[in-house]
Amino acid sequence: MATITPQETDILLVVDVQNDFCPGGALEVPDGDAVVQVINGLIDRFAHVALTQDWHPPGHQSFASSHAGRQPFEMIEVAYGPQTLWPDHCVQGTPGAAFHEKLFTDRAEMIVRKGFRPEIDSYSAFYENDRKTATGLAGSLRERGFRRVFAAGLATDFCVKFTLLDAAAEGFEAFLIEDGSRAIDLEGSLAAAMDEMKAAGVSVVQSPAIGG
Ligand code: VGL
Ligand code: ZN
């Protein structure tokens, strides 16, 4: 039974549904490709859809391979604070950076690329990991009159979480579509992310509750 009917002032933000985050990809999220079917169903129900795309230059600072002696999933200190190191992933123009081939991208009105500055990672679609560099998404959504942001995609505990925390901080009503998202879950990061989102006022909803 649908309890949410998407309005003209609502936007579905599809986060990083890219090959490298799907099984077989460089930074695979367990069961990551399961979000595609759920999200395709949601895309039909929203009047407005935007996509985000993790989009790193080769040798990006967030890659473990850019730091001698470091391994993926270790933490290091960079200019803006702690940064998790990742396997090389979502390198600009590579197949791994492409959207999952079954993702229905035709109705996307905007693609927000992020993580393209060599020295700054960007989990959120609003602010990069220095927490200062804006992507321009907040201004764009405000200028277009959006009030509610519904996010789904990969990964719940990184890019989806930071995107929703920033959406709420920017004054949008923020919703996590939980069954349309999957987590990396490093050392309890999924449970922590759910707590953080709820504490910040992000509503957690399931896709069947969203009608069209
Ligand atoms: C992501 C780690 C590195 C994500 C992107 O999409 O959640 N995680 N880059
Ligand atoms: Zn990345």
Side-chain angles (χ1 to χ4, degrees):
M1 186 48 191
T3 55
I4 294 169
T5 305
Q7 312 288 314
E8 190 56 29
T9 51
D10 294 341
I11 190 159
L12 174 67
L13 201 51
V14 177
V15 178
D16 296 2
V17 181
Q18 295 167 257
N19 292 324
D20 270 342
F21 296 124
C22 290
L27 178 40
E28 54 186 357
V29 177
D31 202 29
D33 55 344
V35 305
V36 173
Q37 200 189 346
V38 176
I39 290 173
N40 283 346
L42 288 164
I43 287 172
D44 288 338
R45 288 175 259 160
F46 277 84
H48 301 286
V49 178
L51 310 177
T52 73
Q53 191 170 27
D54 211 39
W55 197 249
H56 301 304
H60 192 259
Q61 178 170 250
S62 75
F63 296 169
S65 63
S66 303
H67 306 270
R70 297 295 185 163
Q71 297 302 318
F73 310 109
E74 285 181 16
M75 299 272 288
I76 60 162
E77 280 294 319
V78 299
Y80 50 78
Q83 169 68 48
T84 303
L85 293 177
W86 303 105
D88 290 25
H89 66 278
C90 297
V91 174
Q92 296 170 355
T94 63
F99 294 114
H100 187 288
E101 66 170 7
K102 296 229 160 62
L103 183 71
F104 183 54
T105 59
D106 292 1
R107 286 197 47 247
E109 297 169 352
M110 176 168 32
I111 297 174
V112 182
R113 286 177 165 169
K114 59 186 183 60
F116 50 77
R117 288 183 176 78
E119 313 300 329
I120 316 180
D121 202 4
S122 189
Y123 298 149
S124 165
F126 291 94
Y127 288 94
E128 301 191 12
N129 285 14
D130 63 358
R131 313 309 298 142
K132 289 199 268 276
T133 305
T135 63
L137 180 59
S140 172
L141 296 185
R142 263 197 292 274
E143 211 169 320
R144 293 185 55 192
F146 291 112
R147 296 209 186 95
R148 300 197 295 185
V149 172
F150 292 78
L154 306 171
T156 316
D157 43 348
F158 288 92
C159 292
V160 177
K161 175 189 89 169
F162 282 100
T163 294
L164 284 168
L165 293 178
D166 282 349
E170 287 292 324
F172 299 100
E173 257 189 88
F175 296 78
L176 167 68
I177 305 173
E178 190 178 19
D179 59 327
S181 305
R182 290 293 184 281
I184 296 174
D185 205 12
L186 294 179
E187 294 168 21
S189 58
L190 174 59
M194 294 304 292
D195 289 346
E196 252 182 283
M197 286 190 274
K198 288 174 191 162
V202 175
S203 302
V204 179
V205 300
Q206 310 300 324
S207 63
I210 302 173

